[in-house]
Amino acid sequence: PPEGQPSGYYVSPTVFADVTPEMTIAQEEIFGPVVSILKYEDEDDALRIANGTDYGLAGAVWAADDATATAFARRLDAGQVDINGGRFNILAPFGGYKRSGVGRELGAHGLAEYLQTKSLQF
């Protein structure tokens, strides 16, 4: 435990540098105070790397202007994308893409998980 904590398990904030797309840490969902740094050539390469995993819970995009960041974010395979440091919106639907989960929580999108649609033909 860190100083001042009586018990528990803690991981210090960690930065992984020189990560490549095929490494496990770049391919799996890592939860904790961890950041991995990967190099990319251009926006298309960054998108290929970001979308080249089996997971897509969340992501973040920073750019000189919101329009550029939004255009990139729309192409990400992630259920939630923070743009230029955007804050978490508790009212927005939440959920991931691919192996990060199917479905959404909150609002009409969350309720849809419990509904079945039937079409009657006359």
Side-chain angles (χ1 to χ4, degrees):
E3 188 176 321
Q5 298 294 329
S7 64
Y9 297 95
Y10 301 88
V11 176
S12 298
T14 304
V15 176
F16 290 90
D18 300 321
V19 175
T20 59
E22 66 278 355
M23 291 179 171
T24 301
I25 196 160
Q27 288 296 314
E28 295 186 1
E29 290 182 314
I30 308 296
F31 295 94
V34 172
V35 64
S36 298
I37 300 174
L38 290 83
K39 295 178 183 178
Y40 62 92
E41 297 294 323
D42 55 26
E43 283 187 25
D44 288 333
D45 191 36
L47 185 70
R48 179 190 60 77
I49 293 168
N51 288 344
T53 72
D54 290 336
Y55 300 94
L57 183 59
V61 176
W62 284 267
D65 61 85
D66 286 347
T68 300
T70 300
F72 188 87
R74 290 184 188 282
R75 300 188 310 161
L76 279 176
D77 295 338
Q80 174 183 322
V81 182
D82 296 340
I83 296 174
N84 289 332
R87 295 182 302 171
F88 183 76
N89 180 354
I90 190 100
L91 300 176
F94 179 78
Y97 282 30
K98 302 183 265 185
R99 290 181 63 194
S100 288
V102 176
R104 297 291 174 267
E105 300 173 6
L106 307 173
H109 296 284
L111 290 174
E113 295 299 307
Y114 299 98
L115 304 176
Q116 288 185 321
T117 301
K118 182 182 289 188
S119 184
L120 301 179
Q121 309 297 319
F122 291 93

